[in-house]
């Protein structure tokens, strides 16, 4: 990701910390739905775009081996401090060179993909296909728009508006099979089987 994008996330770290209690409820709901399709116990799970560790806080109780990637130095430092037993690598989602081929059972991207351009998402999908054995899990927005979320995403400058129209087709074009479950008013769980 470009340096300007990294700076944005460095500055956004306090907001991520403030929003964590709200995000954790939704993530818990998403992980519970995922466990009905693919139990995580005993699996090696990669948190892609770990941020401040919000998803890690929900995963640490699920009896899986965790590893994380987070390009923002500030967020990675905080995630490492919160979860010292989880290796948090300073890597962007499209360059997971610290991982050998097919070394991860499940990769989870929670509220991450919608912030990437379509070109960057294509590189991320290719890298995930290289490192993941079983499934890539996406917990992110669907087409129902919440005006507050839409305003925040517009300010963030990500690809949210196009993402909600394209993500299912993008995943279906790159993975063997995709299952989708709605989690609430604005989010879905997507499981893309490798």
């Amino acid at each position: 990701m470009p340096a300007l994008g990294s700076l944005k996330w460095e500055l956004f770290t306090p907001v991520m910390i403030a929003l964590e209690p709200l995000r954790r409820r939704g993530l818990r709901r998403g992980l519970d739905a995922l466990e009905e399709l693919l139990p995580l116990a005993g699996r090696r799970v990669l948190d892609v775009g770990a941020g401040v560790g919000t998803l890690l806080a929900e995963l640490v109780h699920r009896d899986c081996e965790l590893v994380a990637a987070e390009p923002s130095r500030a967020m990675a430092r905080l995630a490492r401090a919160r979860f010292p037993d989880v290796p948090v690598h300073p890597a962007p989602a499209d360059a997971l060179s610290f991982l050998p081929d097919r070394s991860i059972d499940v990769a989870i991207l929670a509220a991450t993909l919608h912030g990437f351009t379509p070109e960057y998402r294509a590189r991320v999908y290719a890298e995930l296909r290289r490192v993941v054995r079983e499934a890539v899990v996406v917990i992110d927005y669907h087409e129902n728009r919440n005006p507050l979320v839409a305003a925040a995403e517009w300010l963030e400058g990500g690809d949210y508006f196009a993402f909600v129209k394209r993500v299912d087709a993008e995943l279906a074009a790159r993975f063997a099979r995709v299952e989708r479950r709605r989690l609430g008013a604005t989010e879905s769980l997507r499981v893309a089987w490798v």
Side-chain angles (χ1 to χ4, degrees), residues 6-23 51-54 70 72-79 82:
S6 296
L7 176 61
K8 173 178 79 173
W9 290 112
E10 300 289 327
L11 298 172
F12 198 61
T13 300
V15 175
M16 295 295 291
I17 294 166
L19 293 176
E20 182 168 330
L22 296 173
R23 285 292 306 139
V52 298
T54 305
E70 173 51 54
S72 162
R73 287 184 303 256
M75 289 190 193
R77 259 191 319 274
L78 185 54
R82 293 178 67 194

Side-chain angles (χ1 to χ4, degrees), residues 8-96:
K8 173 178 79 173
W9 290 112
E10 300 289 327
L11 298 172
F12 198 61
T13 300
V15 175
M16 295 295 291
I17 294 166
L19 293 176
E20 182 168 330
L22 296 173
R23 285 292 306 139
R24 284 191 57 186
R25 283 194 302 267
L27 290 173
R28 194 172 308 123
R29 191 170 50 243
L31 291 173
D32 289 346
L34 171 62
E35 295 251 35
E36 293 174 14
L37 300 169
L38 177 67
L40 296 177
R43 288 187 162 82
R44 189 163 193 228
V45 177
L46 171 65
D47 179 358
V48 181
V52 298
T54 305
L55 178 62
L56 291 174
E58 292 301 321
L59 286 169
V60 294
H61 307 293
R62 295 194 183 246
D63 197 28
C64 51
E65 179 188 347
L66 296 171
V67 62
E70 173 51 54
S72 162
R73 287 184 303 256
M75 289 190 193
R77 259 191 319 274
L78 185 54
R80 273 190 217 103
R82 293 178 67 194
F83 304 100
D85 293 336
V86 176
V88 179
H89 297 269
D94 69 334
L96 304 171

